[in-house]
Amino acid sequence: MTDLTTPPLLTSLAHGGGCGCKLDPSVLNQIIERTPGLAMPAELIVDAATRDDAAVYRLGDDLAIVATTDFFTPIVDDPFDFGRIAATNALSDIYAMGARPIFCLAIVGMPVGKLPLETIRTILNGGRSVAEAAGAPIAGGHSIDAAEPFYGLVALGIVHPDRMLTNAGAKPGDVLILGKPLGIGIYSAAMKRGIISPEDQAEMIASTTLLNRPGTDLAGIDGVHAVTDVTGFGLLGHLREMCEGSGVAAVLTRDAVPVFAGARRLAEDGVRTGASVRVWASVGDFVTAPDGWPDAERDLLCDPQTSGGLLVSCAPERADEVLALFTRHGHEAAAVIGRTEAGKPGISLV
Protein backbone atom coordinates (compact mmCIF):
# COMPACT_ATOMS: atom_id res chain seq x y z
CA MET A 1 0.00 0.00 0.00
CA THR A 2 1.37 3.42 -0.95
CA ASP A 3 2.21 5.73 1.94
CA LEU A 4 0.03 8.72 1.08
CA THR A 5 1.81 10.89 3.65
CA THR A 6 4.70 11.01 1.15
CA PRO A 7 2.89 10.69 -2.20
CA PRO A 8 4.88 9.88 -5.36
CA LEU A 9 5.72 12.52 -7.92
CA LEU A 10 2.99 12.79 -10.54
CA THR A 11 5.37 12.24 -13.45
CA SER A 12 6.70 9.04 -11.83
CA LEU A 13 3.25 7.45 -12.21
CA ALA A 14 3.09 7.77 -16.02
CA HIS A 15 5.12 6.27 -18.84
CA GLY A 16 4.94 9.52 -20.81
CA GLY A 17 3.75 13.06 -20.25
CA GLY A 18 1.69 15.75 -21.92
CA CYS A 19 1.21 15.61 -25.66
CA GLY A 20 4.36 13.51 -25.91
CA CYS A 21 2.24 10.48 -24.95
CA LYS A 22 0.08 10.75 -28.07
CA LEU A 23 0.01 7.77 -30.39
CA ASP A 24 2.78 7.58 -32.96
CA PRO A 25 1.50 9.47 -36.07
CA SER A 26 2.19 6.49 -38.34
CA VAL A 27 0.33 4.14 -35.98
CA LEU A 28 -2.60 6.54 -35.78
CA ASN A 29 -2.70 6.75 -39.58
CA GLN A 30 -2.86 2.96 -39.85
CA ILE A 31 -5.72 2.81 -37.36
CA ILE A 32 -7.73 5.54 -39.06
CA GLU A 33 -7.10 4.31 -42.59
CA ARG A 34 -8.45 0.86 -41.71
CA THR A 35 -11.52 2.19 -39.94
CA PRO A 36 -14.61 2.14 -42.19
CA GLY A 37 -16.02 5.57 -42.92
CA LEU A 38 -19.58 6.42 -41.99
CA ALA A 39 -22.09 8.65 -43.72
CA MET A 40 -22.00 12.08 -42.09
CA PRO A 41 -24.91 14.53 -41.88
CA ALA A 42 -24.62 17.64 -44.00
CA GLU A 43 -24.65 19.76 -40.83
CA LEU A 44 -21.32 18.25 -39.75
CA ILE A 45 -19.16 20.69 -41.68
CA VAL A 46 -15.78 19.66 -40.21
CA ASP A 47 -14.95 16.07 -39.28
CA ALA A 48 -11.77 14.01 -39.07
CA ALA A 49 -11.10 13.99 -42.82
CA THR A 50 -8.30 16.59 -42.66
CA ARG A 51 -7.16 15.73 -39.11
CA ASP A 52 -8.41 19.11 -37.96
CA ASP A 53 -8.38 20.31 -34.36
CA ALA A 54 -12.10 19.94 -33.64
CA ALA A 55 -15.41 18.88 -35.14
CA VAL A 56 -17.90 21.56 -36.21
CA TYR A 57 -21.67 21.13 -36.46
CA ARG A 58 -23.82 23.80 -38.12
CA LEU A 59 -26.86 24.72 -36.02
CA GLY A 60 -28.10 27.47 -38.34
CA ASP A 61 -27.04 30.02 -40.90
CA ASP A 62 -25.09 32.07 -38.36
CA LEU A 63 -24.16 29.59 -35.64
CA ALA A 64 -22.09 26.41 -35.39
CA ILE A 65 -20.92 24.45 -32.37
CA VAL A 66 -17.28 23.37 -32.12
CA ALA A 67 -16.40 20.26 -30.09
CA THR A 68 -13.06 18.74 -29.11
CA THR A 69 -11.48 16.61 -26.42
CA ASP A 70 -7.94 16.32 -25.13
CA PHE A 71 -6.37 14.66 -22.11
CA PHE A 72 -2.97 13.34 -21.09
CA THR A 73 -0.75 12.07 -18.30
CA PRO A 74 1.25 14.49 -16.10
CA ILE A 75 3.91 16.65 -17.70
CA VAL A 76 4.81 18.33 -14.37
CA ASP A 77 4.71 17.26 -10.74
CA ASP A 78 2.82 20.23 -9.31
CA PRO A 79 -0.85 19.14 -9.36
CA PHE A 80 -2.29 22.63 -9.79
CA ASP A 81 0.02 23.34 -12.73
CA PHE A 82 -0.79 19.95 -14.27
CA GLY A 83 -4.49 20.82 -14.21
CA ARG A 84 -3.84 24.27 -15.66
CA ILE A 85 -1.67 22.93 -18.49
CA ALA A 86 -4.12 20.18 -19.44
CA ALA A 87 -7.04 22.62 -19.54
CA THR A 88 -5.10 25.23 -21.54
CA ASN A 89 -4.10 22.55 -24.03
CA ALA A 90 -7.66 21.25 -24.47
CA LEU A 91 -9.10 24.73 -25.01
CA SER A 92 -6.46 25.43 -27.65
CA ASP A 93 -8.36 23.33 -30.19
CA ILE A 94 -11.40 25.59 -29.80
CA TYR A 95 -9.29 28.69 -30.40
CA ALA A 96 -7.59 27.06 -33.40
CA MET A 97 -10.99 26.86 -35.12
CA GLY A 98 -11.60 30.58 -34.58
CA ALA A 99 -14.30 29.81 -32.02
CA ARG A 100 -15.19 31.17 -28.58
CA PRO A 101 -15.22 28.55 -25.81
CA ILE A 102 -18.48 28.33 -23.87
CA PHE A 103 -18.22 25.39 -21.45
CA CYS A 104 -16.28 22.21 -20.72
CA LEU A 105 -16.60 18.72 -19.27
CA ALA A 106 -13.77 17.14 -17.27
CA ILE A 107 -12.13 13.80 -18.12
CA VAL A 108 -10.44 12.34 -15.04
CA GLY A 109 -8.51 9.10 -14.49
CA MET A 110 -6.62 8.77 -11.21
CA PRO A 111 -4.88 5.93 -9.29
CA VAL A 112 -6.89 6.59 -6.15
CA GLY A 113 -4.83 4.26 -3.97
CA LYS A 114 -1.58 5.99 -4.95
CA LEU A 115 -2.51 9.66 -4.78
CA PRO A 116 -4.03 11.61 -1.88
CA LEU A 117 -7.51 12.90 -2.60
CA GLU A 118 -6.23 16.41 -1.96
CA THR A 119 -3.76 16.03 -4.84
CA ILE A 120 -6.57 14.96 -7.17
CA ARG A 121 -8.71 17.84 -5.97
CA THR A 122 -5.87 20.27 -6.66
CA ILE A 123 -5.49 18.99 -10.23
CA LEU A 124 -9.19 19.61 -10.83
CA ASN A 125 -8.96 23.08 -9.27
CA GLY A 126 -6.10 23.95 -11.61
CA GLY A 127 -8.15 22.96 -14.62
CA ARG A 128 -11.17 24.82 -13.36
CA SER A 129 -9.17 28.02 -12.86
CA VAL A 130 -8.15 28.06 -16.53
CA ALA A 131 -11.58 27.12 -17.87
CA GLU A 132 -13.23 29.89 -15.87
CA ALA A 133 -10.62 32.42 -17.03
CA ALA A 134 -11.47 31.41 -20.61
CA GLY A 135 -15.19 31.96 -19.96
CA ALA A 136 -15.88 28.24 -20.36
CA PRO A 137 -16.77 26.82 -16.93
CA ILE A 138 -16.52 23.09 -16.27
CA ALA A 139 -20.13 21.91 -16.08
CA GLY A 140 -19.54 18.24 -15.28
CA GLY A 141 -17.51 15.31 -16.52
CA HIS A 142 -16.57 11.70 -15.93
CA SER A 143 -13.97 10.03 -13.71
CA ILE A 144 -12.48 6.56 -13.34
CA ASP A 145 -9.95 4.82 -11.10
CA ALA A 146 -7.00 4.34 -13.48
CA ALA A 147 -3.55 2.79 -13.34
CA GLU A 148 -1.95 6.06 -14.52
CA PRO A 149 -3.15 9.58 -13.77
CA PHE A 150 -4.65 11.52 -16.65
CA TYR A 151 -6.73 14.66 -16.91
CA GLY A 152 -8.26 16.76 -19.66
CA LEU A 153 -11.40 18.33 -20.99
CA VAL A 154 -14.16 18.04 -23.51
CA ALA A 155 -14.35 21.64 -24.71
CA LEU A 156 -17.25 23.23 -26.57
CA GLY A 157 -17.31 26.53 -28.42
CA ILE A 158 -19.35 28.53 -30.89
CA VAL A 159 -18.42 30.21 -34.15
CA HIS A 160 -20.13 31.75 -37.18
CA PRO A 161 -19.95 29.09 -39.93
CA ASP A 162 -18.65 31.65 -42.43
CA ARG A 163 -15.84 32.79 -40.08
CA MET A 164 -14.71 29.34 -38.99
CA LEU A 165 -11.01 28.55 -39.39
CA THR A 166 -9.60 25.15 -40.35
CA ASN A 167 -6.18 23.67 -41.06
CA ALA A 168 -7.11 23.15 -44.73
CA GLY A 169 -7.51 26.66 -46.14
CA ALA A 170 -3.92 27.81 -46.73
CA LYS A 171 -3.33 29.48 -50.10
CA PRO A 172 -0.14 29.70 -52.19
CA GLY A 173 1.76 32.86 -51.32
CA ASP A 174 0.64 32.99 -47.68
CA VAL A 175 3.05 33.68 -44.85
CA LEU A 176 3.29 31.26 -41.93
CA ILE A 177 3.23 32.61 -38.37
CA LEU A 178 3.94 30.63 -35.19
CA GLY A 179 2.51 31.94 -31.93
CA LYS A 180 4.75 30.29 -29.29
CA PRO A 181 8.38 29.13 -29.20
CA LEU A 182 9.24 25.45 -29.55
CA GLY A 183 10.95 23.32 -26.93
CA ILE A 184 8.31 22.21 -24.44
CA GLY A 185 9.01 18.51 -25.03
CA ILE A 186 12.75 19.06 -24.48
CA TYR A 187 12.01 20.97 -21.26
CA SER A 188 9.74 18.16 -20.10
CA ALA A 189 12.41 15.53 -20.78
CA ALA A 190 14.98 17.59 -18.90
CA MET A 191 12.62 18.01 -15.97
CA LYS A 192 12.07 14.25 -15.68
CA ARG A 193 15.86 13.82 -15.62
CA GLY A 194 16.23 16.49 -12.95
CA ILE A 195 18.45 18.73 -15.09
CA ILE A 196 16.11 21.63 -15.89
CA SER A 197 16.94 24.98 -14.34
CA PRO A 198 14.33 26.83 -12.27
CA GLU A 199 14.28 29.59 -14.88
CA ASP A 200 13.62 27.18 -17.74
CA GLN A 201 10.93 25.36 -15.76
CA ALA A 202 9.19 28.66 -15.04
CA GLU A 203 9.36 29.51 -18.75
CA MET A 204 7.82 26.13 -19.58
CA ILE A 205 4.92 26.64 -17.15
CA ALA A 206 4.27 30.18 -18.38
CA SER A 207 4.07 29.06 -22.02
CA THR A 208 1.92 25.97 -21.45
CA THR A 209 -0.62 27.92 -19.38
CA LEU A 210 -0.90 30.83 -21.84
CA LEU A 211 -4.28 30.51 -23.55
CA ASN A 212 -4.35 30.72 -27.35
CA ARG A 213 -6.93 33.51 -27.19
CA PRO A 214 -5.74 35.10 -30.47
CA GLY A 215 -7.57 32.32 -32.32
CA THR A 216 -11.01 33.75 -31.61
CA ASP A 217 -10.00 37.15 -33.00
CA LEU A 218 -8.19 35.65 -35.99
CA ALA A 219 -11.60 34.52 -37.28
CA GLY A 220 -12.49 38.18 -37.76
CA ILE A 221 -9.48 39.05 -39.94
CA ASP A 222 -9.97 38.75 -43.68
CA GLY A 223 -6.94 37.09 -45.22
CA VAL A 224 -6.38 34.58 -42.43
CA HIS A 225 -6.78 31.39 -44.42
CA ALA A 226 -5.81 28.48 -42.14
CA VAL A 227 -4.97 27.87 -38.49
CA THR A 228 -3.95 24.88 -36.40
CA ASP A 229 -2.22 24.45 -33.07
CA VAL A 230 1.17 22.80 -32.73
CA THR A 231 0.96 20.00 -30.19
CA GLY A 232 2.05 16.35 -30.04
CA PHE A 233 3.16 15.96 -33.67
CA GLY A 234 5.57 18.89 -33.48
CA LEU A 235 5.83 21.80 -35.88
CA LEU A 236 6.71 19.59 -38.85
CA GLY A 237 3.90 17.12 -38.18
CA HIS A 238 1.19 19.75 -37.88
CA LEU A 239 2.54 21.77 -40.80
CA ARG A 240 2.38 18.59 -42.86
CA GLU A 241 -1.32 18.23 -42.01
CA MET A 242 -1.89 21.85 -43.08
CA CYS A 243 -0.04 21.36 -46.37
CA GLU A 244 -1.86 18.14 -47.22
CA GLY A 245 -5.25 19.50 -46.22
CA SER A 246 -4.71 22.69 -48.22
CA GLY A 247 -2.89 21.24 -51.22
CA VAL A 248 0.12 23.57 -50.86
CA ALA A 249 3.85 23.30 -50.25
CA ALA A 250 5.63 25.11 -47.41
CA VAL A 251 9.04 26.73 -47.16
CA LEU A 252 10.25 26.97 -43.56
CA THR A 253 12.97 29.46 -42.63
CA ARG A 254 14.81 27.57 -39.92
CA ASP A 255 16.49 30.56 -38.29
CA ALA A 256 13.15 32.37 -38.01
CA VAL A 257 11.41 29.65 -35.95
CA PRO A 258 11.18 30.81 -32.31
CA VAL A 259 12.77 28.33 -29.91
CA PHE A 260 13.26 28.65 -26.16
CA ALA A 261 16.96 29.37 -25.59
CA GLY A 262 17.13 26.86 -22.75
CA ALA A 263 15.51 24.16 -24.86
CA ARG A 264 17.95 24.76 -27.71
CA ARG A 265 20.86 24.49 -25.31
CA LEU A 266 19.49 21.24 -23.85
CA ALA A 267 18.86 19.80 -27.33
CA GLU A 268 22.44 20.62 -28.34
CA ASP A 269 23.58 18.81 -25.19
CA GLY A 270 21.74 15.69 -26.36
CA VAL A 271 18.41 15.94 -24.49
CA ARG A 272 15.64 14.61 -26.71
CA THR A 273 12.26 12.91 -26.52
CA GLY A 274 11.26 9.56 -27.95
CA ALA A 275 8.24 11.30 -29.44
CA SER A 276 10.43 13.55 -31.61
CA VAL A 277 12.07 10.46 -33.08
CA ARG A 278 8.66 9.00 -33.89
CA VAL A 279 7.48 12.28 -35.43
CA TRP A 280 10.52 12.43 -37.71
CA ALA A 281 9.96 8.84 -38.78
CA SER A 282 6.46 9.84 -39.88
CA VAL A 283 7.34 13.13 -41.64
CA GLY A 284 10.87 12.61 -42.92
CA ASP A 285 9.71 11.59 -46.39
CA PHE A 286 7.71 14.84 -46.58
CA VAL A 287 10.61 17.16 -45.73
CA THR A 288 13.49 18.40 -47.87
CA ALA A 289 16.32 19.38 -45.55
CA PRO A 290 19.81 20.77 -46.27
CA ASP A 291 22.88 18.58 -46.04
CA GLY A 292 24.44 18.50 -42.60
CA TRP A 293 21.20 19.38 -40.85
CA PRO A 294 22.00 19.11 -37.09
CA ASP A 295 20.17 16.43 -35.13
CA ALA A 296 19.34 18.96 -32.41
CA GLU A 297 17.54 21.20 -34.89
CA ARG A 298 15.59 18.27 -36.28
CA ASP A 299 14.58 17.27 -32.76
CA LEU A 300 13.31 20.78 -32.02
CA LEU A 301 11.21 20.99 -35.19
CA CYS A 302 9.72 17.57 -34.32
CA ASP A 303 9.48 18.32 -30.59
CA PRO A 304 6.03 17.45 -29.18
CA GLN A 305 4.49 20.64 -27.88
CA THR A 306 2.10 20.40 -24.98
CA SER A 307 -0.21 23.43 -25.16
CA GLY A 308 1.86 24.79 -28.05
CA GLY A 309 1.28 27.84 -30.18
CA LEU A 310 -1.07 28.52 -33.05
CA LEU A 311 0.26 28.08 -36.58
CA VAL A 312 -1.35 30.62 -38.92
CA SER A 313 -1.35 30.83 -42.72
CA CYS A 314 -2.39 34.29 -43.88
CA ALA A 315 -2.06 36.73 -46.75
CA PRO A 316 1.25 38.68 -46.57
CA GLU A 317 -0.55 42.01 -46.23
CA ARG A 318 -2.23 40.74 -43.03
CA ALA A 319 0.94 39.54 -41.33
CA ASP A 320 1.54 42.72 -39.31
CA GLU A 321 -2.06 42.76 -38.11
CA VAL A 322 -1.84 39.11 -37.06
CA LEU A 323 1.46 39.66 -35.22
CA ALA A 324 -0.01 42.69 -33.43
CA LEU A 325 -2.97 40.56 -32.35
CA PHE A 326 -0.66 37.93 -30.87
CA THR A 327 1.28 40.60 -29.01
CA ARG A 328 -1.92 42.09 -27.63
CA HIS A 329 -2.80 38.72 -26.10
CA GLY A 330 0.62 38.26 -24.50
CA HIS A 331 2.25 36.14 -27.23
CA GLU A 332 5.29 38.37 -27.70
CA ALA A 333 7.40 35.63 -29.32
CA ALA A 334 5.07 35.16 -32.31
CA ALA A 335 7.02 35.32 -35.56
CA VAL A 336 6.83 34.81 -39.32
CA ILE A 337 8.54 31.47 -39.94
CA GLY A 338 8.01 30.82 -43.66
CA ARG A 339 5.62 30.84 -46.56
CA THR A 340 3.42 28.61 -48.67
CA GLU A 341 3.80 27.91 -52.37
CA ALA A 342 1.86 26.25 -55.16
CA GLY A 343 2.93 22.71 -55.92
CA LYS A 344 2.96 19.20 -54.53
CA PRO A 345 2.49 19.25 -50.73
CA GLY A 346 5.83 19.09 -48.96
CA ILE A 347 8.04 21.07 -46.59
CA SER A 348 11.37 22.60 -47.64
CA LEU A 349 13.78 23.82 -44.96
CA VAL A 350 16.00 26.79 -45.86
Side-chain angles (χ1 to χ4, degrees), residues 43-61:
E43 293 84 0
L44 189 63
I45 54 179
V46 177
D47 58 18
T50 59
R51 313 290 168 83
D52 220 322
D53 298 294
V56 183
Y57 190 94
R58 184 192 295 270
L59 297 175
D61 291 343

Side-chain angles (χ1 to χ4, degrees), residues 225-248:
H225 298 139
V227 178
T228 190
D229 63 337
V230 177
T231 54
F233 298 155
L235 175 59
L236 292 183
H238 290 285
L239 180 55
R240 175 176 186 164
E241 291 179 339
M242 181 178 284
C243 289
E244 290 181 328
S246 305
V248 299

Side-chain angles (χ1 to χ4, degrees), residues 140-218:
H142 185 67
S143 60
I144 63 169
D145 187 354
E148 291 185 331
F150 61 83
Y151 174 71
L153 301 176
V154 174
L156 299 171
I158 54 175
V159 68
H160 194 294
D162 296 338
R163 305 304 303 184
M164 172 188 70
L165 299 171
T166 73
N167 68 354
K171 300 180 183 299
D174 279 356
V175 297
L176 296 169
I177 294 174
L178 180 63
K180 292 183 184 181
L182 303 180
I184 296 301
I186 298 291
Y187 274 162
S188 177
M191 191 184 68
K192 293 193 77 168
R193 289 171 53 181
I195 59 173
I196 191 171
S197 70
E199 295 78 14
D200 289 345
Q201 184 167 340
E203 190 171 57
M204 170 186 169
I205 300 299
S207 179
T208 53
T209 56
L210 178 62
L211 286 163
N212 278 322
R213 295 180 190 270
T216 303
D217 294 338
L218 286 171

Side-chain angles (χ1 to χ4, degrees), residues 89-338:
N89 180 75
L91 286 162
S92 183
D93 287 339
I94 297 295
Y95 292 123
M97 306 299 292
R100 176 173 65 84
I102 53 173
F103 76 92
C104 303
L105 302 172
I107 301 170
V108 184
M110 294 290 155
V112 175
K114 296 180 181 179
L115 286 176
L117 297 183
E118 182 58 31
T119 297
I120 300 172
R121 185 179 299 113
T122 303
I123 293 170
L124 302 187
N125 286 341
R128 186 171 67 243
S129 71
V130 166
E132 290 178 352
I138 296 175
H142 185 67
S143 60
I144 63 169
D145 187 354
E148 291 185 331
F150 61 83
Y151 174 71
L153 301 176
V154 174
L156 299 171
I158 54 175
V159 68
H160 194 294
D162 296 338
R163 305 304 303 184
M164 172 188 70
L165 299 171
T166 73
N167 68 354
K171 300 180 183 299
D174 279 356
V175 297
L176 296 169
I177 294 174
L178 180 63
K180 292 183 184 181
L182 303 180
I184 296 301
I186 298 291
Y187 274 162
S188 177
M191 191 184 68
K192 293 193 77 168
R193 289 171 53 181
I195 59 173
I196 191 171
S197 70
E199 295 78 14
D200 289 345
Q201 184 167 340
E203 190 171 57
M204 170 186 169
I205 300 299
S207 179
T208 53
T209 56
L210 178 62
L211 286 163
N212 278 322
R213 295 180 190 270
T216 303
D217 294 338
L218 286 171
I221 300 178
D222 291 333
V224 172
H225 298 139
V227 178
T228 190
D229 63 337
V230 177
T231 54
F233 298 155
L235 175 59
L236 292 183
H238 290 285
L239 180 55
R240 175 176 186 164
E241 291 179 339
M242 181 178 284
C243 289
E244 290 181 328
S246 305
V248 299
V251 177
L252 204 60
T253 305
R254 295 176 296 150
D255 291 343
V257 178
V259 175
F260 290 116
R264 185 181 295 280
R265 182 178 61 255
L266 287 163
E268 291 172 349
D269 288 342
V271 178
R272 69 191 320 192
T273 68
S276 68
V277 176
R278 295 191 296 271
V279 169
W280 177 247
S282 72
V283 302
D285 62 347
F286 196 77
V287 177
T288 302
D291 293 336
W293 188 34
D295 290 349
E297 185 176 338
R298 181 198 63 204
D299 288 344
L300 285 164
L301 294 183
C302 294
D303 192 48
Q305 302 304 288
T306 299
S307 191
L310 296 179
L311 176 63
V312 181
S313 181
C314 69
E317 62 270 21
R318 294 299 186 186
D320 288 344
E321 184 178 358
V322 170
L323 289 171
L325 172 62
F326 273 103
T327 300
R328 193 159 64 247
H329 283 287
H331 295 247
E332 289 88 357
V336 174
I337 63 170

